[in-house]
Amino acid sequence: MDKSSTGQLQALHDQGFALLPGVVDAGRVAALRAAIDELRPQHWDYSGLVDHYKCVFNRDPLWLPYLDLPGVIELAEAALGADCHVIGQTAWRCHPGFIGAGLHLDYLLMELPQTLLEDPAFRLPMQICTAQLYLSDIDEELCPTLVIPGSHRAGRPPRAGERCWRGRPAQPVLCRAGDVLFLRSELWHAGSRNRTADRSRYLLQIHYGRRMVAQKFSPYLTWRFDPAVLAACTPRQRRLLGEHAEAEYD
């Protein structure tokens, strides 16, 4: 890992998230926005005030390079192991009037005692992380993601009505199109409203898990990889999509 990646990994341990600036240039941002505009709902996808499309990597090889973006994949592998894989890739378009989501965490392997979590010598291992690639400039009016730094060490989900952790309220992550917010699944975070009159927030999420975390490719029983997508994959992308070396439970 280079110096910047080492600092980002430390931020995941200390704060629960890291912001990676300028990961994708303006030309690719525009191409991804246009590609999201062409998507149509399948299976569990839905449209309305928010358009939500799952497993987009399997629709066109165009999406494959975003599974292992330089600077992002190195952080994912450092956090989750060199044999980590993708458990989902989801495209979003959040329109004016979109409400967002309340304070929550995405996944907690187990609740742990505070005595352990407060020990500065203890590092809570990561199981799942999400890279949020913003395809819009994010200001306070356009659905900023809200995070509570350090809340991954709460050892539990937020309770109903809870708005702070240890007196720290959620704070907005303001960033530019092409930036990536990389967060661990135990972090308390929230989605916020689209308060604009005429702007939609475009976002691509890539979810990474440790080797033993199941991949979330729906519709599960009838899932099939598109042969054209597999043919276009690099070896690393094939591993990220599940082509692992044989292990104990295979």
Side-chain angles (χ1 to χ4, degrees):
M1 295 180 66
D2 61 23
K3 186 175 180 180
S4 62
S5 296
T6 301
Q8 292 156 359
L9 181 62
Q10 188 63 46
L12 291 178
H13 287 297
D14 294 344
Q15 302 296 319
F17 65 94
L19 185 63
L20 287 61
V23 174
V24 171
D25 62 33
R28 288 192 292 170
V29 166
L32 283 172
R33 288 172 61 106
I36 291 174
D37 286 338
E38 294 299 316
L39 292 173
R40 297 295 179 265
Q42 299 177 6
H43 191 54
W44 285 343
D45 298 343
Y46 49 85
S47 295
L49 284 178
V50 57
D51 303 319
H52 177 261
Y53 306 102
K54 295 177 179 288
C55 299
V56 293
F57 62 81
N58 205 41
R59 305 191 193 201
D60 191 294
L62 172 146
W63 303 96
L64 290 175
Y66 302 96
L67 298 178
D68 58 346
L69 284 166
V72 177
I73 187 58
E74 290 82 5
L75 182 57
E77 291 175 345
L80 301 169
D83 59 350
C84 69
H85 56 204
V86 166
I87 63 173
Q89 187 189 45
T90 305
W92 299 75
R93 187 171 48 195
C94 304
H95 302 290
F98 170 69
I99 294 174
L103 193 64
H104 65 285
L105 56 74
D106 290 335
Y107 175 72
L108 182 67
L109 179 64
M110 64 180 71
E111 296 195 14
L112 295 171
Q114 279 298 307
T115 52
L116 180 61
L117 293 167
E118 291 172 2
D119 183 348
F122 174 69
R123 275 193 163 186
L124 182 65
M126 289 172 255
Q127 304 298 320
I128 295 173
C129 292
T130 294
Q132 299 196 159
L133 170 58
Y134 294 95
L135 304 173
S136 304
D137 292 339
I138 303 299
D139 55 37
E140 293 196 5
E141 300 298 306
L142 189 61
C143 314
T145 303
L146 309 175
V147 298
I148 301 184
S151 58
H152 61 293
R153 297 182 76 91
R156 61 173 178 82
R159 299 186 181 101
E162 206 165 9
R163 295 291 180 266
C164 300
W165 180 71
R166 293 190 170 177
R168 300 186 77 171
Q171 62 184 47
V173 178
L174 307 181
C175 55
R176 303 295 301 272
D179 293 351
V180 168
L181 175 65
F182 196 95
L183 56 89
R184 53 187 299 162
S185 67
E186 308 93 348
L187 182 74
W188 293 14
H189 62 285
S192 61
R193 293 175 179 266
N194 185 342
R195 303 180 186 277
T196 72
D198 57 0
R199 290 185 288 155
S200 294
R201 185 192 70 171
Y202 287 72
L203 176 71
L204 181 66
Q205 288 185 324
I206 307 93
H207 306 288
Y208 299 96
R210 286 193 180 272
R211 168 73 170 85
M212 288 300 159
V213 174
Q215 295 183 292
K216 316 295 183 183
F217 299 162
S218 59
Y220 302 106
L221 292 179
T222 58
W223 172 263
R224 296 291 184 274
F225 281 105
D226 184 325
V229 168
L230 291 182
C233 282
T234 66
R236 182 187 241 168
Q237 290 163 358
R238 289 182 70 94
R239 187 212 75 213
L240 288 170
L241 293 180
E243 189 175 68
H244 287 285
E246 184 180 2
E248 289 79 4
Y249 300 106
D250 293 324

